[in-house]
Each structure stands twice: as C-alpha cells, then as structure tokens.
C-alpha cells in the first residue's frame, strides 16, 4: 500500500500535538495544561487558550518548544488577568 506524503504527515502531526499536550500536563501549573489546546501542522505547533499571566504564556511556550519534531511554536494564547480588588 502506497501513502502520499500528506497521508503520512497527518498522524505524525497529530502525534506531535499529543506529545506537546503531554509535556504541558507535566507542568506543576494547572492553568497551563487545563486551559490550552495544541494543534500541529508540518512541525509548527500552535498553542491556543487563555492563561492568567505572561509568565504562564512564556512557560507554556518553553515547555513545548523542546518536543522533538516541533520546529516552530506559534503562541496564540491570551493573557486574561484576574480582576484586582481595589
């Protein structure tokens, strides 16, 4: 059976997205793995969701950036800071 390169790439990119999500679940910060989704296309991983701080956003990006096979991280997460009591 012969597979085109597109057919072979889809499971691989899905595996990369899952590997990134697994890496996020190892974080001690629940906000990172509970609020983010991962999508991978040809080695480019996109993070989406909402996080409570820019620190968490950067931490998430660094966490998935070293997953083997990911060549670029596109961090589309939004920082939604909690209202500060006045």
């Amino acid at each position: 059976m012969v597979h085109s390169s597109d057919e072979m790439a889809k499971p691989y990119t899905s595996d990369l997205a899952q590997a990134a999500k697994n890496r996020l679940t190892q974080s001690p910060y629940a906000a990172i793995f509970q609020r983010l989704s991962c999508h991978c296309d040809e080695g480019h991983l996109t993070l989406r969701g909402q996080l409570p701080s820019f620190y968490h956003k950067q931490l998430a990006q660094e966490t998935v950036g070293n997953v083997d096979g990911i060549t670029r991280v596109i961090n589309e997460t939004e920082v939604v800071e909690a209202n500060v009591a006045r």
Side-chain angles (χ1 to χ4, degrees), residues 40-59:
C40 193
D41 187 25
E42 296 182 13
H44 296 181
L45 181 80
T46 303
L47 292 174
R48 290 189 180 105
Q50 296 181 336
L51 292 171
S53 71
F54 285 102
Y55 171 75
H56 288 97
K57 181 175 180 168
Q58 183 64 32
L59 186 61

Side-chain angles (χ1 to χ4, degrees), residues 9-84:
K10 289 186 184 203
Y12 177 69
T13 57
S14 176
D15 291 346
L16 285 177
Q18 187 58 50
K21 189 68 173 173
N22 290 344
R23 185 71 56 92
L24 290 172
T25 62
Q26 295 172 6
S27 170
Y29 301 101
I32 289 177
F33 65 85
Q34 292 176 344
R35 299 180 184 173
L36 294 183
S37 66
C38 300
H39 174 75
C40 193
D41 187 25
E42 296 182 13
H44 296 181
L45 181 80
T46 303
L47 292 174
R48 290 189 180 105
Q50 296 181 336
L51 292 171
S53 71
F54 285 102
Y55 171 75
H56 288 97
K57 181 175 180 168
Q58 183 64 32
L59 186 61
Q61 182 172 322
E62 293 297 321
T63 299
V64 298
N66 61 7
V67 172
D68 287 338
I70 293 176
T71 58
R72 180 176 178 210
V73 177
I74 303 162
N75 194 343
E76 295 182 352
T77 58
E78 294 178 79
V79 174
V80 181
E81 297 181 35
N83 291 333
V84 177

